[in-house]
Amino acid sequence: SERSVRQFHDALVSFAERRVINMKKRGWGSYAVIIICISAVLVVGILYARFAFKKVNEESKDFLYEIYGQVNNRYSFLVERNWNALDSWETYLQASEKQEDTRMFIDRQKEIWGFDQFYFFAEDGSYITADGEQGFMDLGAEFEKLTTEGTHIVKDVISEGSKPLTVIASAVQTGQYRNFGYVAIAIGYDNDSMEKLLDIDVYSGNTTCFMVHVNGRILFTTSDWDGAEKNILDDLSHVKFLDKSLEEVEQDWKDSIADVVRIRIGKKNYYMCYQTIDFQDWVLIGLVPTGVANKSLNQFWFATIVSLSMIFGLMLITFLIHLMRRNRKSVMEKDTVIQYREYLFNLLTENTQDIFILFSPDTMHAEYVSPNIERVIGIRPETLKEDIRNLSCVVQNDISAVSPEVFEKIPIGGVWQVDRELLHYKTGELRWYRELLYHVLLEGTEKFVIILSDRMDEHSMKMTLENALNAAEAANMAKSNFLSNMSHDIRTPMNAITGFTMLLAKDADQPDRVREYTRKITASSQHLLNLINDVLDMSKIESGKTTLNTIEFSMPDLLEKINAIILPQTNAKNQDYEMKVVGNIPDFLLGDELRINQVLINLLSNAVKYTPEGGQITFVIENLKYVSSGSILLRFVVTDNGIGMNEEFLKKIFDPFARETNSTVNKIQGTGLGMPIAKSLVELMGGTIEVESRQGKGTTFTVQLELAVPEQERDKDFWKHHSISHALVVDDDEDICTTIQRLMEDTGVQVDYALNGFRAIDMVKEACGNEDDYHVILLDWKMPDLDGVETARRIRNCVGPLVPILILTAYDWGDIEEEAREAGIDGFMTKPFFLSTFQYTMQNLMDKETVQENDAGLEEDVLKGMVFLAAEDNEMNAEILSELLDIAGARCEIAENGLEALEMFERSAPGQYDMILMDVQMPVMNGYQATEAIRTCGHPQAADIPIIAMTANAFTEDVKNALDSGMNAHVAKPIDMELLKHTILELKQNA
């Protein structure tokens, strides 16, 4: 600090002046001073040597620990990365049915990942490679953990007649490859490959690395030792340990303690660094000669000792010269003082970034300038010696310290201080300095001393702290705004619920009002539930507990579900909503359908909310490319011409709790969590999400996802078996017509198309005249001049009642369904066109019934007469469930916990209970444990009775846990009776 520097300066000057006075005295006093100085030098040298040795040893150990920690991290990263890869390959291997495809997939991964062999393991440890080579590999107790507990393992393997291997394995679902049943997959790395990870570039190769077992057996090493036969403990038993004993080091290995100790091999000292490996009972050991590790620090130590020796040597020489030349006392006295002062400043400036300048205010010439000034700020010392005011060229837009205005403000003994940025005169770099200007009196003459002290690190730390403070304040502000918004958003539906509850009590004898109040309470409750779900979703995502459930799903069904939700919303606001498909999109894909649906519904619902009545919303699904034979890259684009967003809010749209604040948006309910949840889910699925928006112009969200394409065996003979070989498509959008033609190319059906109703009628008449009738006709609903309903009415007059006529539309056809049926239309299909949907619709027409009609008829009475066993520990929930089932014509018996439910089921007669409704979180025995116990008990219905999870645990992983425990289905609380009926209907149909 400036204070310590000044104290050090004053002390040395005072010391020099005292020495001059003492040197005037004759006799033995001078020799006594010399003896004292020599003694002081020896004491200081010894203390400094001890201190330097300790610091060198500590610094070297820290550096070694960091270096070998990086090697440790390489192994951990390699193993973790390979485990993740094996988990990701499982889906493909399970889905692949052709051996050649599997082998090609493994060969491609081998090229990418660089492993030496791929294994399929059976439960007994036998294996088969991708090339069909079979054998047995002893993986020890770790293999049992792999097959029974499903844990990942890493194991070194030494087989007779082959090179040592490191095997990385992962448990999978039971599969077949080349008629070989397997329960785990693994990859093997030759230990020569693993040894490369031990290479360390530092120390010019003067290091030796070992990877050993805790028991000391060497797995691989950078030395010439044979890791398959030697034990490092045998060699270490002949080594002298300087810091710890060999027994203590062995105990460290067993206790997973890392350390750096010094050992002596022969006449040479070494640092031995050891660290345990997280995933295995391995120990990483590194040996580095202490001379190599301490080389740079020893050089610094040596240079410092030499410098100190020179300093005190000069002192001794000065005193000797003074004694020898007493006749030059006055000259030598002044020279000695000057030498001490110069040495002081030279010492300081050579080892610091600080600059010292001494000048006279009368001449403005610098009498002393630190020699480091050119290095620090780029000005040559001679420039300031000519005129101290040249220092102003590095001062940026501020008052220079070398100005009369500043001189007048500083009394003798006073100081002027300022922190500012100075410009490096040569490089242009700006750095922060503290500028101190001292007004002193030397030998009766006024002088000024300038000290420029580098404060860049201090300033950087200050800025970092300020940024951290601003970030914390911003986070607190965001959370405060979130709580404020949530308080408003939660209180709004709660106010409705409590208000209408009071009105229910008041108007209980007026059924019409009761029904209306009930409807509004239900709507408010659903809105409140959605708010809570958003908050819980975000919390789960931020804690890293969200997982994906990758399954095969139908793209047409997904889009139909989305339309079922979005179309009523757009119709209510009289918005123009259009869904388009670009390119050939497979009917079935592999992915997390629930999460994809959640993201797209979120984007589309926002488009509806922030687009005024009469606006336009477009949803485009585009096949960008087939990434490989097994996956496809899809782009989902949601565009609206709504209110848009400003550029400032666009930068933080994906931040949790962020909501744009303006008079329009404030009226729209929301938590500010929808976009962060969507972004987190898209990134969890390995995709990207981008947004473009202009205020008052609209917004476009673009999501890209890579999804696997399962192999599907399509019934190519369906059309032939049903005598369908000629079809007509009528749509004013020619791209839709040509797309349908392309999708139907492999079916053997000739597809003609017309771009308006009049042309379609002419084509139907021509086909009838040429005895080349159309076997099915697809009509767009909304076409110019002649719409689809009127076109169907006129075509029906030509073709009679037997030719199926379908409406293909992107709009909600509920309002025109009755009119369309009267005009001769047999069915409806939702755009975009999918071949599987077309085939399914035609099959229903052939059978003269639809799945929807069957379900609707059955769901009304599905619960009548059923008897349920319900495990529910909450008395109020149990009462609500009993009443709802009673209204539906069913009854239930309540068990207060899982154990009681198990006992009641075991005591029941066969057929007494039709189904079991199981809560999850219960005392004594939870729902998962109760389900597993029921499935394994001796009751005749134990394996077959349907068990439905009815719980507030509503996340995707909760559904998976329920199914894994033996339950048949999952219904989330609060209870939705329509969903419960539909679930029970599906279980009955699949029984």
Side-chain angles (χ1 to χ4, degrees):
S1 68
E2 293 82 13
R3 181 179 180 184
S4 61
V5 169
R6 190 173 185 183
Q7 289 175 344
F8 184 37
H9 164 263
D10 294 342
L12 282 182
V13 172
S14 175
F15 174 74
E17 291 173 344
R18 288 199 305 273
R19 295 307 311 128
V20 171
I21 294 172
N22 291 335
M23 284 189 291
K24 294 179 180 179
K25 298 179 180 179
R26 300 177 181 271
W28 291 97
S30 299
Y31 295 101
V33 171
I34 294 174
I35 294 173
I36 293 173
C37 290
I38 293 174
S39 301
V41 169
L42 292 175
V43 172
V44 171
I46 294 171
L47 293 176
Y48 179 79
R50 290 181 178 179
F51 169 78
F53 176 79
K54 181 178 179 182
K55 293 300 291 182
V56 167
N57 192 45
E58 291 175 354
E59 291 292 334
S60 297
K61 285 186 176 182
D62 290 343
F63 184 67
L64 284 170
Y65 190 84
E66 180 180 350
I67 290 297
Y68 287 100
Q70 295 176 5
V71 178
N72 193 337
N73 290 337
R74 289 185 208 165
Y75 279 93
S76 298
F77 177 75
L78 172 68
V79 172
E80 289 291 341
R81 194 166 65 107
N82 281 278
W83 277 337
N84 292 335
L86 288 171
D87 291 342
S88 67
W89 297 344
E90 178 186 357
T91 301
Y92 179 86
L93 295 175
Q94 294 289 344
S96 177
E97 298 180 359
K98 295 181 180 180
Q99 296 178 5
E100 184 61 21
D101 289 348
T102 301
R103 188 185 64 78
M104 290 176 64
F105 174 81
I106 293 173
D107 288 344
R108 184 166 63 253
Q109 299 307 320
K110 185 183 293 184
E111 293 176 1
I112 296 172
W113 292 83
F115 56 81
D116 297 285
Q117 190 55 271
F118 188 96
Y119 302 93
F120 296 89
F121 278 98
E123 290 184 344
D124 60 355
S126 60
Y127 66 82
I128 185 172
T129 67
D131 297 324
E133 180 184 347
Q134 297 193 29
F136 175 82
M137 191 179 295
D138 184 9
L139 298 180
E142 287 85 357
F143 187 76
E144 183 178 353
K145 292 182 180 180
L146 174 70
T147 57
T148 59
E149 301 176 7
T151 59
H152 298 87
I153 69 167
V154 176
K155 180 69 176 177
D156 63 295
V157 178
I158 303 175
S159 300
E160 185 175 353
S162 62
K163 291 184 177 180
L165 291 175
T166 297
V167 176
I168 302 172
S170 175
V172 298
Q173 295 182 2
T174 303
Q176 290 279 337
Y177 179 69
R178 293 179 181 258
N179 297 323
F180 181 88
Y182 64 88
V183 297
I185 58 177
I187 54 180
Y189 286 92
D190 191 303
N191 278 5
D192 291 339
S193 301
M194 301 296 285
E195 288 174 6
K196 295 178 181 178
L197 295 177
L198 293 176
D199 292 337
I200 299 176
D201 295 330
V202 297
Y203 302 129
S204 302
N206 293 314
T207 63
T208 302
C209 293
F210 301 85
M211 188 66 75
V212 304
H213 271 290
V214 173
N215 61 14
R217 183 169 62 85
I218 301 172
L219 301 174
F220 37 87
T221 175
T222 58
S223 74
D224 296 328
W225 294 9
D226 186 0
E229 299 177 0
K230 289 195 174 182
N231 191 301
I232 197 170
L233 293 177
D234 295 338
D235 294 294
L236 292 178
S237 63
H238 304 295
V239 169
K240 182 175 182 180
F241 284 76
L242 304 179
D243 300 320
K244 287 185 177 181
S245 66
L246 177 58
E247 291 74 19
E248 290 175 325
V249 170
E250 288 184 69
Q251 190 61 43
D252 283 353
W253 295 359
K254 295 175 182 178
D255 296 338
S256 299
I257 297 174
D259 202 354
V260 179
V261 298
R262 292 176 300 131
I263 62 174
R264 179 172 297 163
I265 303 176
K267 296 182 178 180
K268 196 171 185 179
N269 289 348
Y270 290 81
Y271 285 117
M272 184 174 78
C273 177
Y274 53 85
Q275 300 180 9
T276 55
I277 304 299
D278 294 336
F279 54 82
Q280 191 73 354
D281 55 345
W282 295 357
V283 180
L284 173 65
I285 301 175
L287 293 178
V288 182
T290 56
V292 173
N294 300 338
K295 182 177 180 182
S296 61
L297 295 175
N298 285 337
Q299 291 174 348
F300 172 76
W301 181 26
F302 178 78
T304 305
I305 294 297
V306 171
S307 299
L308 290 174
S309 300
M310 291 176 63
I311 293 171
F312 290 103
L314 288 173
M315 292 172 59
L316 293 174
I317 291 172
T318 302
F319 285 121
L320 290 174
I321 292 174
H322 175 71
L323 292 173
M324 294 171 63
R325 300 181 180 181
R326 294 186 179 184
N327 59 334
R328 301 179 182 176
K329 291 182 181 179
S330 59
V331 176
M332 291 299 297
E333 289 171 357
K334 294 181 180 179
D335 289 344
T336 302
V337 173
I338 293 174
Q339 287 177 8
Y340 274 102
R341 288 177 178 175
E342 288 183 347
Y343 178 74
L344 166 67
F345 289 114
N346 289 335
L347 178 65
L348 292 175
T349 55
E350 286 174 2
N351 295 279
T352 68
Q353 291 288 98
D354 294 347
I355 298 171
F356 300 88
I357 304 170
L358 175 67
F359 69 94
S360 171
D362 298 329
T363 64
M364 300 302 285
H365 294 164
E367 299 174 11
Y368 176 84
V369 180
S370 301
N372 65 342
I373 189 169
E374 187 170 4
R375 172 175 60 84
V376 177
I377 62 175
I379 299 178
R380 298 174 65 249
E382 293 78 8
T383 303
L384 298 185
K385 288 181 178 180
E386 293 175 359
D387 192 337
I388 189 63
R389 285 168 292 195
N390 290 329
L391 186 64
S392 62
C393 65
V394 298
V395 178
Q396 294 294 296
N397 303 321
D398 203 348
I399 299 176
S400 173
V402 288
S403 63
E405 296 87 355
V406 177
F407 296 163
E408 294 174 358
K409 296 179 181 178
I410 309 174
I412 294 177
V415 61
W416 180 83
Q417 173 181 313
V418 65
D419 288 348
R420 66 165 119 216
E421 280 187 304
L422 297 183
L423 177 72
H424 194 287
Y425 190 69
K426 293 183 178 179
T427 66
E429 178 187 8
L430 287 172
R431 294 184 66 86
W432 278 89
Y433 285 84
R434 174 163 294 170
E435 187 171 354
L436 300 168
L437 181 62
Y438 292 95
H439 192 176
V440 297
L441 191 64
L442 295 178
E443 298 179 354
T445 305
E446 291 187 22
K447 304 286 185 182
F448 281 93
V449 178
I450 295 178
I451 300 178
L452 297 177
S453 179
D454 191 337
R455 286 295 182 269
M456 195 64 194
D457 292 340
E458 180 181 314
H459 179 73
S460 299
M461 182 178 295
K462 178 182 177 183
M463 294 303 297
T464 300
L465 293 175
E466 288 181 357
N467 292 336
L469 177 61
N470 293 335
E473 290 177 348
N476 287 333
M477 180 64 70
K479 290 184 179 180
S480 298
N481 292 337
F482 164 73
L483 292 175
S484 176
N485 292 335
M486 285 299 297
S487 175
H488 171 269
D489 291 342
I490 289 177
R491 288 176 185 274
T492 298
M494 280 300 299
N495 181 62
I497 293 171
T498 55
F500 285 120
T501 302
M502 289 186 289
L503 292 175
L504 277 174
K506 175 178 176 294
D507 299 327
D509 56 345
Q510 300 184 44
D512 290 341
R513 291 192 176 185
V514 168
R515 279 191 289 271
E516 179 64 18
Y517 296 157
T518 304
R519 183 185 66 80
K520 293 180 178 179
I521 289 174
T522 302
S524 299
S525 301
Q526 186 60 46
H527 176 63
L528 182 59
L529 181 61
N530 290 338
L531 294 177
I532 295 172
N533 285 339
D534 276 352
V535 175
L536 295 178
D537 256 350
M538 196 66 232
S539 174
K540 204 168 187 66
I541 288 170
E542 288 186 337
S543 65
K545 296 181 180 179
T546 301
T547 58
L548 297 177
N549 182 26
T550 302
I551 59 172
E552 181 179 312
F553 68 92
S554 168
M555 178 59 76
D557 289 349
L558 173 64
L559 298 181
E560 186 175 347
K561 292 174 185 176
I562 291 174
N563 278 341
I565 295 173
I566 299 302
L567 277 173
Q569 298 179 21
T570 56
N571 290 339
K573 297 184 70 174
N574 195 29
Q575 294 168 337
D576 183 10
Y577 168 68
E578 183 178 8
M579 178 187 290
K580 295 180 180 179
V581 170
V582 179
N584 184 11
I585 297 179
D587 292 26
F588 295 93
L589 295 168
L590 288 174
D592 192 329
E593 180 184 11
L594 180 63
R595 295 304 189 185
I596 297 173
N597 181 76
Q598 182 178 355
V599 171
L600 297 178
I601 288 294
N602 197 319
L603 299 180
L604 287 165
S605 296
N606 277 353
V608 174
K609 282 196 296 185
Y610 297 109
T611 300
E613 292 195 10
Q616 294 180 342
I617 300 171
T618 304
F619 179 29
V620 179
I621 308 98
E622 182 179 0
N623 176 2
L624 293 181
K625 62 179 178 179
Y626 279 89
V627 180
S628 64
S629 59
S631 61
I632 187 175
L633 183 61
L634 293 184
R635 175 192 289 160
F636 302 90
V637 182
V638 177
T639 304
D640 65 66
N641 63 346
I643 61 176
M645 293 170 278
N646 60 46
E647 292 184 4
E648 182 179 352
F649 180 70
L650 274 179
K651 298 176 183 178
K652 58 182 180 179
I653 185 174
F654 294 117
D655 294 343
F657 317 125
R659 295 188 65 192
E660 190 171 14
T661 304
N662 60 55
S663 59
T664 303
V665 175
N666 289 344
K667 298 177 182 178
I668 301 174
Q669 293 178 332
T671 62
L673 294 175
M675 288 300 98
I677 291 173
K679 185 175 188 295
S680 299
L681 292 178
V682 169
E683 291 178 347
L684 185 64
M685 292 184 284
T688 61
I689 182 170
E690 298 176 352
V691 58
E692 296 179 3
S693 184
R694 289 180 59 193
Q695 202 158 19
K697 299 295 183 180
T699 302
T700 297
F701 280 94
T702 302
V703 175
Q704 289 190 185
L705 293 175
E706 182 179 337
L707 300 174
V709 181
E711 292 186 4
Q712 292 286 332
E713 293 186 4
R714 187 174 291 163
D715 185 5
K716 296 182 179 179
D717 295 329
F718 171 83
W719 309 98
K720 182 178 179 180
H721 290 161
H722 291 86
S723 301
I724 300 174
S725 61
H726 200 188
L728 174 63
V729 178
V730 186
D731 198 304
D732 58 314
D733 188 338
E734 189 169 7
D735 288 340
I736 293 177
C737 297
T738 56
T739 298
I740 295 175
Q741 272 188 329
R742 186 175 63 256
L743 293 174
M744 295 289 290
E745 282 178 354
D746 296 334
T747 63
V749 179
Q750 177 187 340
V751 178
D752 301 333
Y753 68 85
L755 301 180
N756 59 69
F758 294 112
R759 176 57 183 156
I761 295 168
D762 292 339
M763 291 177 67
V764 170
K765 291 179 179 178
E766 291 174 10
C768 292
N770 296 330
E771 296 184 356
D772 186 19
D773 296 343
Y774 292 109
H775 302 139
V776 60
I777 299 173
L778 295 177
L779 295 173
D780 185 22
W781 170 15
K782 295 188 176 182
M783 295 186 294
D785 300 328
L786 198 65
D787 65 19
V789 176
E790 183 58 32
T791 302
R793 181 179 288 108
R794 299 188 187 187
I795 289 177
R796 182 62 74 192
N797 293 332
C798 298
V799 300
L802 299 181
V803 177
I805 302 177
L806 306 177
I807 288 289
L808 179 64
T809 180
Y811 300 96
D812 185 0
W813 62 74
D815 295 337
I816 63 147
E817 184 172 5
E818 184 176 352
E819 178 187 359
R821 298 286 185 187
E822 292 175 356
I825 292 172
D826 298 288
F828 298 86
M829 287 175 55
T830 302
K831 288 183 180 179
F833 177 88
F834 283 93
L835 185 57
S836 61
T837 306
F838 186 28
Q839 183 173 323
Y840 176 77
T841 303
M842 291 302 299
Q843 182 66 58
N844 284 335
L845 289 178
M846 299 298 177
D847 297 338
K848 296 183 179 179
E849 63 182 10
T850 62
V851 174
Q852 289 79 7
E853 291 173 353
N854 286 336
D855 289 351
L858 289 173
E859 284 187 13
E860 288 297 323
D861 301 324
V862 68
L863 297 182
K864 282 189 178 180
M866 292 186 68
V867 179
F868 294 89
L869 170 59
E872 176 58 71
D873 62 312
N874 186 284
E875 184 177 349
M876 184 176 296
N877 288 343
E879 181 180 354
I880 292 172
L881 177 62
S882 297
E883 290 297 328
L884 291 175
L885 291 176
D886 184 63
I887 293 172
R891 65 184 183 86
C892 70
E893 298 180 12
I894 303 297
E896 294 184 357
N897 56 65
L899 179 60
E900 185 176 337
L902 171 63
E903 293 172 347
M904 291 175 65
F905 176 73
E906 289 179 328
R907 293 195 303 267
S908 67
Q912 179 178 340
Y913 299 120
D914 295 299
M915 288 189 184
I916 299 176
L917 304 178
M918 185 70 70
D919 191 14
V920 171
Q921 293 188 357
M922 295 182 293
V924 186
M925 179 183 287
N926 65 37
Y928 301 139
Q929 297 168 338
T931 300
E932 293 172 355
I934 288 173
R935 291 302 187 203
T936 57
C937 74
H939 195 281
Q941 287 183 278
D944 302 324
I945 188 168
I947 302 177
I948 301 175
M950 184 172 290
T951 173
N953 295 20
F955 291 108
T956 304
E957 48 268 40
D958 297 322
V959 178
K960 183 177 183 299
N961 291 337
L963 299 179
D964 290 345
S965 70
M967 301 188 197
N968 302 89
H970 180 283
V971 175
K973 291 180 181 178
I975 301 170
D976 184 338
M977 287 303 293
E978 294 303 318
L979 177 59
L980 178 61
K981 288 180 182 179
H982 183 71
T983 302
I984 292 174
L985 178 62
E986 286 186 346
L987 291 177
K988 285 186 174 182
Q989 290 176 338
N990 296 330

